[in-house]
Amino acid sequence: MEIYFSAVQRKVVSPNDFTDLAQVGVRLRALEDRYNATEQPFQWKFTTSDLDDLLARLDRHTTDHQEESSVALAA
């Protein structure tokens, strides 16, 4: 959804040279028609295994940082 709304922001909302609200609707419907005709399902490359690895690295980093902070406070 974020990709779609990003396209709406860039293609419909940002060039804000509208004369009225109806023109916004026309432009939005045109984008919707084009998007539905050309876009394909997004193929995720970030797997659950990648997520597990990332979370483990973050956990190690957080633990190491907390230990360093504890040592510094004790000194």
Side-chain angles (χ1 to χ4, degrees):
M1 286 309 301
E2 290 180 30
I3 293 169
Y4 181 78
F5 285 121
S6 174
V8 168
Q9 175 66 38
R10 288 178 285 119
K11 304 290 184 179
V12 176
V13 178
S14 288
N16 57 2
D17 55 352
F18 311 115
T19 55
D20 59 18
L21 192 56
Q23 191 177 23
V24 177
V26 168
R27 205 180 275 183
L28 186 57
R29 280 187 292 284
L31 174 71
E32 180 182 1
D33 291 342
R34 181 166 186 229
Y35 194 86
N36 287 335
T38 60
E39 294 304 316
Q40 298 188 6
F42 189 79
Q43 297 296 318
W44 291 101
K45 295 180 181 177
F46 193 79
T47 65
T48 55
S49 178
D50 294 333
L51 178 60
D52 290 340
D53 293 344
L54 175 63
L55 292 173
R57 284 195 331 261
L58 289 171
D59 189 45
R60 283 193 306 270
H61 175 74
T62 302
T63 302
D64 292 345
H65 184 65
Q66 287 173 348
E67 289 173 2
E68 290 172 3
S69 297
S70 297
V71 170
L73 289 174

